[in-house]
Amino acid sequence: MNRLPTPALLRRPGRALAAAVLGAATLGATANAADLREALESITERDLHAHLRFLSADELRGRAPGTFGGDAAAAYIATQFARAGLEPVADDFLQRFEVVGVTTDPDRSVLAFRGPTGERAAAYPSEAVVWPGVADSAIDVEGELVFVGYGVSAPEYDWDDFGDVDLSGTVLLALVGDPPSGPAEPDLFGGLALTYYGRWTYKLEEAARRGAAGVLLVHSTMQAGYPWSVVEASWTGEQYALPPRPDGAPVTPLQGWVTRDLTRELLADAGLDLADLSARAAVRDFSPVRTGMTVRGTLHASTRALETANVVGVLPGEDPSVRNEAVLLTTHYDHLGVGAAVDGDSIYNGAYDNASGVALLLEMAEAFGSLEPRPRRSVVLIATAAEEAGLLGAEYYVRNAPIPLRATLADINIDGGNLWGETDDVVAMGSDRSTLGMLVRERAREMGMRLAPDRAPEKGFFFRSDHFPFVRAGVPALYIEHGLSYRGRPAGWGERRLAAYDGRDYHQPSDEYDPLMDLSGAVQQARLAFLVGYDVAEGDAFPEWFESSEFKPARDRALGR
């Protein structure tokens, strides 16, 4: 359990790091070097510890949306925004919105497959995890199981897994990830880097556009980027969604994950081989394969409407001519709440994911609030809700942006603050997609850090955090992650430490606060994000997507180009 520790256990700020950063931070500053130095100095380990230990304490019960703990976290963040001198965008700091919660009852729900040897029910949650794609208390779907390869339709790559096959009313079986590149086309679907076509969210959207009654995703730890235990923790219990869009965008009633072993067994019963089908799916002339099996999905669920809120604070810009333009800094404050007990602990505290990111955001709020004069443009800090449910808070902000997206220069996002010490490197996903990369590379260099590449491009982390709804709307973004080259540690230590977290603590109750955490690296991370945000707010022009970016057309449309 993660009880609130006493303040005496907090570490002292890293003075050597502060001196190194502050000595370099004046380089490239457009004005007011002394004020910028003071702002950076306000970001300390001590304050990060204070925010982190409160936000990840048991008393907040995992900060799930619509719960006391989630509301308490939002109130705490709003109070800290006000204390830092930020102003609410509207009447108060809370951008309230409704989400629909749907909880599937596994004891009254069945996912069964009927083939040549009879009917086989999937074990929940060890073999399959399913949920209603619509906010309904009863879903009853029956349809033919059709293997659709990677479930991708991408004209720019001359790739179409569907052809002209009518899939209305069927249940699609899709592999996660992108179709693989090869020697003849090494850059197909980004090469090793995952594109949005490889994300599970895209496959659900495409299935809905095809009129499918259901879609089942074949889990692979390598392609999904996380083990089956994360599926069990993240997609069981209450699932959340925004209310249906006014435009009536289609959804599939039955959605879920199935294990690779179950898939292999089911296909074998139908006289098919998963390895052979996967190989066929890796080439352009693939077409959907009707398995001859029937899927029956009967789901009983409870539904409820609940209210949660993004927390939005703004530091109005100093220059009246560009004050209506803004740079955003985002992070999410929600986590999984209370769930299945692991080793006697049922509170999913989410210290690293993402109380740590909120702690960094609050320190940046204090740093921006201390500036005098303020940056030319406005700076908007957003702590989003319901990120774990599918980036819902960020999506709601994008749909209801109080500052129009056409006047939004960039988003700088953090999801996971460094808990293990200073590094010589930093990762800024998206730096290779827009001119923001030049800003973050230069600021990292000034701070004595090199810009490292995405450590796992095949896992598609760029599409998995709160900046992505902004990206889809055309706003250039950076997702700043800490590095793994830890100072004073042997080579490979950072990789091993993060792998241990991913395998043991990610979306588990063991993601807890420890008063001995070394937050000197989190100071680096927050100061870097602050400096890049400051540079954008002070700059003479909007950051731009590179011509090769698939998100540039959305930006051009937003700006009327």
Side-chain angles (χ1 to χ4, degrees), residues 128-491:
V129 174
V130 291
W131 61 90
V134 294
D136 201 335
S137 59
I139 299 294
D140 195 1
V141 167
E142 186 165 332
E144 182 182 7
L145 183 67
V146 180
F147 177 71
V148 293
Y150 289 90
V152 169
S153 178
E156 66 271 34
Y157 291 109
D158 189 27
W159 193 282
D160 186 3
D161 285 330
F162 301 96
D164 58 359
V165 178
D166 182 5
L167 297 170
S168 300
T170 63
V171 177
L172 308 187
L173 182 68
L175 302 172
V176 293
D178 289 319
S181 58
E185 292 184 281
D187 296 325
L188 180 66
F189 287 96
L192 293 177
L194 189 74
T195 72
Y196 187 58
Y197 293 113
R199 289 284 291 136
W200 64 272
T201 50
Y202 164 80
K203 297 173 194 296
L204 299 186
E205 294 164 4
E206 191 61 43
R209 286 189 285 268
R210 302 286 166 172
V215 55
L216 299 174
L217 306 171
V218 181
H219 178 265
S220 163
T221 297
M222 177 175 293
Q223 295 291 352
Y226 36 76
W228 183 257
S229 61
V230 173
V231 174
E232 291 183 304
S234 302
W235 279 276
T236 57
E238 190 169 35
Q239 302 297 300
Y240 305 103
L242 295 175
R245 293 176 57 163
D247 60 10
V251 295
T252 51
L254 174 68
Q255 301 177 0
W257 290 87
V258 289
T259 65
R260 203 166 186 84
D261 287 343
L262 175 63
T263 304
R264 188 179 296 110
E265 177 187 335
L266 294 170
L267 292 174
D269 185 43
L272 298 168
D273 179 73
L274 178 58
D276 175 64
L277 289 178
S278 299
R280 290 162 60 181
V283 296
R284 275 196 175 83
D285 62 358
F286 172 83
S287 59
V289 176
R290 297 188 180 276
T291 67
M293 302 190 75
T294 299
V295 180
R296 177 171 59 89
T298 302
L299 306 183
H300 292 274
S302 59
T303 65
R304 65 181 180 124
L306 57 131
E307 186 181 83
T308 186
N310 296 325
V311 191
V312 184
V314 60
L315 185 75
E318 190 76 21
D319 186 342
S321 67
V322 292
R323 185 181 296 155
N324 64 328
E325 299 171 354
V327 57
L328 311 182
L329 294 111
T330 55
T331 196
H332 75 92
Y333 70 87
D334 65 293
H335 199 57
L336 303 181
V338 178
V342 178
D343 296 330
D345 189 356
S346 61
I347 299 176
Y348 289 67
N349 304 86
Y352 179 79
D353 181 19
N354 185 36
S356 63
V358 180
L360 269 64
L361 188 74
L362 296 179
E363 284 296 272
M364 287 188 282
E366 182 176 350
F368 275 111
S370 71
L371 288 175
E372 186 60 46
R374 297 172 173 179
R376 294 177 58 225
R377 294 180 178 85
S378 296
V379 179
V380 178
L381 292 91
I382 310 171
T384 64
E387 186 270 355
E388 301 288 5
L391 316 183
L392 300 185
E395 180 64 32
Y396 183 84
Y397 182 96
V398 166
R399 295 184 193 179
N400 303 273
I403 296 176
L405 295 181
R406 65 179 178 274
T408 300
L409 285 81
D411 176 43
I412 299 165
N413 184 59
I414 292 177
D415 191 348
N418 190 349
L419 307 182
W420 304 298
E422 301 174 28
T423 62
D424 290 318
D425 61 340
V426 67
V427 176
M429 282 184 277
S431 61
D432 57 342
R433 297 171 182 265
S434 78
T435 55
L436 288 171
M438 293 179 280
L439 294 179
V440 69
R441 183 175 292 105
E442 178 61 19
R443 284 302 192 180
R445 185 193 64 78
E446 291 171 0
M447 294 177 63
M449 295 187 292
R450 67 181 183 277
L451 199 60
D454 183 351
R455 50 184 170 251
E458 73 282 0
K459 295 182 180 180
F461 287 113
F462 185 70
F463 312 106
R464 290 167 55 177
S465 193
D466 273 329
H467 61 285
F468 191 61
F470 297 95
V471 166
R472 291 181 68 184
V475 178
L478 291 175
Y479 174 13
I480 296 182
E481 285 195 317
H482 58 81
L484 293 178
S485 180
Y486 282 87
R487 294 172 181 171
R489 299 287 189 178

